[in-house]
Structure formats: C-alpha cells, structure tokens
Amino acid sequence: METKKLEELKKSLQEEKKDLEENLKKIAKPINIQEGDYETSFEDIGTDKNDSATEVDQYTQNLSVESSLEKKLQNVLDALEKIEKGNYGKCEKCGKDIPLERLVANPSARICMDCS
Ligand SMILES: [Zn+2]
C-alpha cells in the first residue's frame, strides 16, 4: 500500500479513536486506555425508588452503548497496532489484501468482502 494512503487511513483511525474515547468517557471510566478497556459508570442520581429505577434504566442503556463503543474502539486500536507492525490491510481469515476501497469505507475492517 502507498505510504500516503496508509497515512490517510491512520489519520482517520486516530480521529475515530478520539471520538470513541470521548463518547466512552461520558458513560464509562477507563480501566486501561491502551487496551481500550472501559467500565460503565453507575450514576447515583438519588435515593428514592423512582430515582433508583431511572438509574438502573440508564445504567442498562449505558452498558449496551458502552460495550458497542468499546468493541469499535478495540478494532480501531488493533488496526493502529497493525499499521505500526506493518501488517495492516490483510484479511484475518484468508490473509489476502483487503481492497483499499473497503479500508477507506471502514479503516478498522479485519476481513475482506469474501470472508465477511
Ligand atoms: Zn479474506
């Protein structure tokens, strides 16, 4: 892959990482930033019954949002790590190069179209 293209993809991955981290920080506390590991925070808004029900609802909602953001972030981190190691853009299943168009559309893609 051309260095210039790779730099562009790296840049969009870094932007995505920043966005994901910002969104995660709103609902979770970081356990391990390097590994993209977060824990959903439980917000204590009050002590009466209704407050507690709202807290639980909010927490349940945050849990699912947090886990999907965390998954995306880990994909992005993996992709950035691959760029560093020089094995970025290879399908994890068949080992072929993932077409550039696919990487542009989704820079953290792990597998090619044929394998997905
Ligand atoms: Zn493949």
Side-chain angles (χ1 to χ4, degrees):
M1 196 187 301
E2 288 172 52
T3 317
K4 197 168 164 267
K5 291 278 175 222
L6 194 64
E7 283 301 318
E8 280 171 26
L9 289 165
K10 188 175 170 183
K11 215 176 141 211
S12 52
L13 282 163
Q14 279 164 340
E15 274 163 22
E16 200 181 342
K17 174 177 177 265
K18 214 175 116 214
D19 278 357
L20 289 165
E21 284 174 344
E22 268 165 27
N23 286 321
L24 271 162
K25 262 188 235 157
K26 291 178 193 157
I27 55 163
K29 49 177 188 281
I31 305 293
N32 185 332
I33 294 174
Q34 269 74 38
E35 285 176 17
D37 195 7
Y38 285 76
E39 187 181 76
T40 309
S41 28
F42 189 89
E43 205 183 344
D44 209 349
I45 56 169
T47 46
D48 82 30
K49 239 190 210 161
N50 288 332
D51 286 343
S52 298
T54 311
E55 279 164 20
V56 171
D57 282 353
Q58 189 63 50
Y59 180 69
T60 312
Q61 211 178 8
N62 286 351
L63 264 186
S64 72
V65 176
E66 193 266 339
S67 86
S68 96
L69 287 174
E70 197 179 296
K71 219 173 273 171
K72 280 186 201 160
L73 178 61
Q74 283 167 357
N75 272 335
V76 169
L77 291 173
D78 279 354
L80 284 166
E81 199 186 308
K82 285 185 194 167
I83 291 178
E84 295 307 318
K85 288 184 178 162
N87 57 2
Y88 175 73
K90 295 247 188 283
C91 171
E92 285 183 5
K93 283 197 179 165
C94 67
K96 285 183 197 153
D97 287 341
I98 299 172
L100 190 59
E101 311 86 76
R102 182 167 164 81
L103 290 172
V104 170
N106 177 16
S108 54
R110 292 166 167 273
I111 52 176
C112 70
M113 286 293 242
D114 293 339
C115 295
S116 68

